[in-house]
Structure formats: C-alpha cells, structure tokens
Amino acid sequence: MVGSYILLFSNPTNLDGGVMKNQNMRTGLAQAKGLGSAKEGVHHWLMQRLSAVFLLFLITWLIYTMFLLKGKTYHEIHHCMQNPFNAAGMFLSIATMSYHAMLGVQVVIEDYVHHFGWRTFSLIVVKFIGYALPALSLFFLIKIMG
Amino acid sequence: MPSSKKRPLSPHLQVYRWQITNTLSIFHRLTGIGLCFSLVFLVAWLGCLALSIDAYNGFMSLFHSFVGQFIFIMSLLGLYYHLANGIRHLAWDAGYGFSLKVTTITGWLVVIFSFLATLLTWMAV
C-alpha cells in the first residue's frame, strides 16, 4: 500500500539508479490502473463500437419487420408485437439504439459544453433518458403482450 | 476551462474549404443527434400501439400528414447516412481505408447509398 505511493511520486529513473525502467513516462501505479488522461479508460469507445455492430443486425431486422407491417391494421400489428420474438427484437433495437445514442451524445456534450456545472447536468439528463427510453418501451411491450 | 472574458476565435468556418472528409464527419454527428429525435418518435409509435386503437390512429394520421412524411423522410435519410458512414468508421477502427483516395471514394459511396436507400424505402412504403 505504501509502496504504491512511493511509485506515484518517484521518478522512474530513480528506481534502479539511472536507467529508465519504463519505455514510457508512466509511473508503475498509472500503468497498473490502466487509465489515460480521460480518467476513464477505453470502455466508452469500445461500447460505442460494440453497440454499433449489434445495431447493424438489429436495424436490418427492424427495417425488415416494419416492411412486413406496412399497410396492416392496428389489430394485425398489435398481434404481431405479441409474438415474444418480435417483442424482444423491438425492445433490443430500442435499447441498443438508446444506449448507442446516449454514448454518442455524451461525447457531443463533452465537446461543446464548457461550463462544468451545465456539462455535468446535461450528462446526467442524457444518461437518464438513455435508460428511461428503453424502460418505457419495455412497459409498452408488456402492455401489448398482456 | 472557464474563461472570465469572451475572447474572439480565429475564423475557421468562413476560412477552411468544405471537403468530403470534414463535411461527412460533421454530418455523422448531426445525423446522430437527429436520430435521437427519430428514436423518440419510434417509442411514441410503440406507446400509441400499446395504449389504444384511437391513440394509434391519431399517431398514424399525424404520420401521414405533410409534416409527418417530411420527418419520416429526413429520419430515413439520417438513418441510412449514419448507418453507412458508421460502417466507414468501423472500417477505419479496424485500420482499413485511411488513404485519401479510398476515403474520398467511400465517402461518396456513403452519400449515394443514403439517398438511394431513402428513395427506395420511401417508394416501397
């Protein structure tokens, strides 16, 4: 525990008397934590790409399903959404779109909102909507299936 | 980074030429934001389907109005553009297509695809 603090404040060249142990300028603690200057790591970037790949399939399914529903009556569409596979597909589409959108809008807010208070507030609102939308659509689907 | 005074920015939008690269980049962001609104409309459609036949018919009559069709077409355009340019981004993430020549070609492919797919979808609906 104390050793990690020593690593935090020491210059890498001091550790073994002259030769740089690391190829980069990171302390051992920084390397162990694995975070960059964003204090957050690469998880956001990865999830954005992962949700994008899922969306390639989900959007294809969604457009295909909407084509099938074209011109149908309310009762036919209502009945179609009672099929659990269609309901699951609709929910997954909306949830993944919401998640992908939430991540994307976070980046936009971080880019353009320079006031710390407003930026924090905006990010919280976006995160809330990002989870509230799929929750709402889930209950819509539960009502349809019920 | 709070600043006490508003200092002037050096001009950029009036100065730098619009090229395929930067234009498509900003449109990827704009379509992304626009699609957030389209998503809300989709959830609203689902909600009207869940609530009652009157609510659903009310939604569909708005959908078939001029404004509704305009929003629908713009949503399709935004969707297909963001989808195609998104694939272009994923290719970059995998390391492919960074040369200026390939970027220009794929860029124009994205634009052509967006308009074509929108046209085909709207004609089929």
Side-chain angles (χ1 to χ4, degrees), chain A residues 30-48:
Chain A
Q31 191 126 10
K33 277 188 168 182
L35 302 181
S37 62
K39 305 180 189 59
E40 212 199 332
V42 81
H43 184 254
H44 182 286
W45 183 90
L46 187 63
M47 292 315 289
Q48 185 71 315

Side-chain angles (χ1 to χ4, degrees), chain A residues 29-68:
Chain A
L29 181 62
Q31 191 126 10
K33 277 188 168 182
L35 302 181
S37 62
K39 305 180 189 59
E40 212 199 332
V42 81
H43 184 254
H44 182 286
W45 183 90
L46 187 63
M47 292 315 289
Q48 185 71 315
R49 269 70 184 164
L50 206 57
S51 57
V53 172
F54 287 151
L55 278 170
L56 288 177
F57 299 101
L58 287 169
I59 295 286
T60 309
W61 175 87
L62 190 67
I63 294 176
Y64 168 71
T65 305
M66 290 313 220
F67 259 122
L68 290 181

